[in-house]
Amino acid sequence: MFHPGSRTAAGVLDAETPTTTSQSEEGLFYQRCRWCGTAMFHRLLCPVCAGSDLRTERSAGLGVVRHAAIVQRNTPAARNVSLVELAEGFTVRGRVLGPLIAIRVGDRVQLATAADPVRREPVFKLREEPYSGWL
């Protein structure tokens, strides 16, 4: 997550992090290239045009699960790791809350917290209950 006061890509490298944030400062921040308009997450240069003039924007936090996996290594219990494509056009790795077998590709999710305190990844929650019946 970017330092809220930083408006450049160099904010990724800032060592200082805010100790207290108000509700209005919380959220998932991403970058958008001022030259070509590409949205990206945690980059120093645009992956399309290699431009360094990036502005920081706040995501609405709505997205779709594009890949979901259950990881059981280096952890006492199984956990979910998902790639979520957000409405703004960038993809981020995070965790989706809910039963592990209920999280599927194509599920709509919403940001729950911008950074998990242990893994420092965004945490999402399902927007609607998964379909539990058979076709």
Side-chain angles (χ1 to χ4, degrees):
M1 185 158 97
F2 293 104
H3 188 284
S6 175
R7 294 291 174 210
T8 66
V12 173
L13 303 177
D14 290 344
E16 298 178 20
T17 56
T19 55
T20 59
T21 56
S22 67
Q23 192 71 325
S24 63
E25 290 179 347
E26 291 180 4
L28 187 63
F29 291 92
Y30 68 100
Q31 301 145 299
R32 187 172 300 278
C33 179
R34 292 182 192 264
W35 192 78
C36 70
T38 301
M40 66 213 82
F41 188 69
H42 284 250
R43 297 286 184 122
L44 295 175
L45 297 174
C46 175
V48 174
C49 69
S52 62
D53 190 11
L54 308 175
R55 70 175 180 264
T56 302
E57 297 180 1
R58 183 187 323 250
S59 172
L62 302 175
V64 175
V65 175
R66 291 296 176 211
H67 178 76
I70 298 172
V71 178
Q72 296 182 351
R73 68 188 146 121
N74 299 332
T75 182
R79 63 184 170 90
N80 166 270
V81 176
S82 296
L83 290 178
V84 177
E85 182 179 345
L86 284 114
E88 291 80 11
F90 66 96
T91 302
V92 64
R93 185 178 83 168
R95 184 167 55 99
V96 178
L97 299 174
L100 296 177
I101 60 170
I103 300 165
R104 294 191 166 86
V105 173
D107 285 346
R108 293 190 296 168
V109 294
Q110 181 174 3
L111 184 69
T113 60
D116 181 7
V118 176
R119 303 236 180 243
R120 304 279 185 215
E121 294 177 342
V123 178
F124 297 91
K125 61 182 177 181
L126 294 170
R127 286 204 53 192
E128 52 192 42
E129 291 297 318
Y131 182 71
S132 61
W134 294 95
L135 293 176

